[in-house]
Amino acid sequence: MTTTLLRTAGELHARTREGRRAVVMTMGALHEGHATLIRTARAIAGPDGEVVVTVFVNPLQFGAGEDLDRYPRTLEADLKIAEQAGADVVFAPSVDEVYPGGRPEVRISAGPMGGRLEGATRPGHFDGMLTVVGKLLHLTRPDAALFGQKDAQQLALVRRMVRDLNFGIEIVGVPTVREDDGLALSSRNRYLSPRERSTALALSQALFAGCDRHAAQEALRARAREVPATHARAEALSAIGESRAAADTHAVAKAVPGSAAAVRAAARLVLDEAVRLDPPLELDYLALVDPSDFTEIEDDFTGEAVLAVAARVGTTRLIDNLPLTFGAAS
């Protein structure tokens, strides 16, 4: 398969379409995470459909002092990765093509969700992101668009925009791709020195620690539901050797062994240790949120949640997250 490079929407619209069109939006500097998105798009589009990869570094979503100027631009290498992963087209428009009248006066607002977590740290970022995603969806006219779950808040906001504004496009989230040591793949990883990269591993390690705590809690919750009402749940849980949860007799008695607070605490312990590394990790936030609005969940929460973290190592800011599911109590 030969991937075609297009620079204008007119060129893209002139192509004969057969089957479904699936689009993967990127800012370039493609890596295996993007390749996974493209391969998933290929499966969704099918052999008769079309996969379009957009490469556009959007100036609207970079704030003052952020890395717009040094953001890697590697179009030639991107074309090779896109082609190997199965893309039919790489659409790499200029800023003038996307914003022909200059910086747009009318933009899409991310609303209250856009001011939380990433939005609190990067004011206006999500307004700029949604504006360009909206424009690129109009320019590429896909049936489906794919986004990585590593940018969980972005994915949630795109889904909300498409639903609230009736775009009529399927939004597909694709699981985060990690390196062998657990670090989430990111174009910004290339900025890290070897020592900084070692410190950066604390992000994924913290998430895994929280996930392990959560898995133990859910196992205990399931076991607690099986215990007859005549038994003290704390005693039953103690008998199966879960000393940390059994020690919290109040939580166990309520069939909420551990709780969301314990998940946060397990992750925070790893991050607190990373602050003392050389170079240190500088934490922006650790949050356990409801993905529908990115507000913090309570201990009695049930359903899908996201454990999210953001931090700086040296001059590089990194984000990561893991999805968790909290089961209903009996």
Side-chain angles (χ1 to χ4, degrees):
M1 173 184 290
T2 300
T3 299
T4 302
L5 174 64
L6 301 179
R7 296 287 193 172
T8 70
E11 293 172 322
L12 184 60
H13 297 165
R15 289 177 63 87
T16 300
R17 290 185 61 170
E18 295 181 5
R20 303 186 79 201
R21 174 179 285 174
V23 65
V24 174
M25 295 187 188
T26 83
M27 293 204 299
L30 302 190
H31 49 64
E32 180 56 27
H34 297 109
T36 298
L37 287 166
I38 297 167
R39 288 192 290 267
T40 305
R42 181 79 272 160
I44 289 172
D48 298 325
E50 184 177 59
V51 174
V52 176
V53 177
T54 69
V55 175
F56 181 68
V57 181
N58 177 33
L60 294 190
Q61 65 194 73
F62 288 81
E66 293 189 337
D67 56 353
L68 173 62
D69 290 338
R70 71 165 183 156
Y71 196 89
R73 291 161 171 83
T74 57
L75 184 57
E76 185 174 345
D78 294 343
L79 280 167
K80 293 179 181 178
I81 292 173
E83 185 169 275
Q84 291 168 358
D88 298 289
V89 173
V90 167
F91 177 51
S94 66
V95 172
D96 288 340
E97 177 72 13
V98 177
Y99 302 120
R103 296 174 75 88
E105 293 294 323
V106 176
R107 307 185 187 190
I108 296 175
S109 169
M113 194 194 326
R116 299 175 185 132
L117 299 190
E118 285 298 290
T121 302
R122 306 174 67 188
H125 166 73
F126 285 124
D127 291 355
M129 179 277 293
L130 289 179
T131 298
V132 79
V133 168
K135 293 206 68 165
L136 288 173
L137 288 175
H138 290 313
L139 292 174
T140 59
R141 302 174 182 175
D143 299 289
L146 292 85
F147 296 85
Q149 290 180 357
K150 186 178 83 70
D151 296 299
Q153 194 170 1
Q154 170 180 279
L155 173 60
L157 281 162
V158 170
R159 281 177 166 154
R160 193 65 179 257
M161 175 185 73
V162 166
R163 184 184 69 190
D164 289 355
L165 302 184
N166 303 100
F167 273 62
I169 296 168
E170 179 186 4
I171 302 300
V172 180
V174 179
T176 301
V177 178
R178 300 183 180 278
E179 301 193 37
D180 291 342
D181 57 10
L183 186 68
L185 286 177
S186 169
S187 301
R188 290 185 169 93
N189 289 353
R190 67 186 66 196
Y191 300 154
L192 299 169
S193 70
R195 291 176 66 185
E196 289 172 341
R197 195 182 185 287
S198 179
T199 295
L201 293 177
L203 274 77
S204 58
Q205 290 168 352
L207 295 178
F208 295 146
C211 184
D212 288 346
R213 179 65 253 173
H214 171 261
Q217 290 172 194
E218 291 300 312
L220 288 164
R221 187 194 301 269
R223 182 62 180 268
R225 286 198 295 267
E226 297 171 0
V227 176
T230 55
H231 286 71
R233 284 181 169 177
E235 294 177 4
L237 292 170
S238 181
I240 63 172
E242 178 57 27
S243 59
R244 287 180 298 176
D248 186 353
T249 55
H250 177 71
V252 171
K254 296 294 186 182
V256 188
S259 78
V263 174
R264 295 185 186 94
R268 172 74 67 169
L269 184 63
V270 176
L271 297 170
D272 287 346
E273 293 174 352
V275 170
R276 296 188 287 273
L277 296 176
D278 182 21
L281 179 140
E282 299 176 22
L283 182 65
D284 277 357
Y285 62 76
L286 171 70
L288 183 54
V289 298
D290 181 340
S292 69
D293 59 8
F294 269 68
T295 57
E296 291 280 355
I297 67 170
E298 302 293 338
D299 282 347
D300 60 353
F301 178 87
T302 60
E304 301 297 318
V306 173
L307 181 61
V309 63
R312 292 184 181 276
V313 182
T315 60
T316 304
R317 187 174 183 277
L318 301 170
I319 62 172
D320 201 353
N321 71 85
L322 281 177
L324 303 174
T325 301
F326 286 78
S330 58

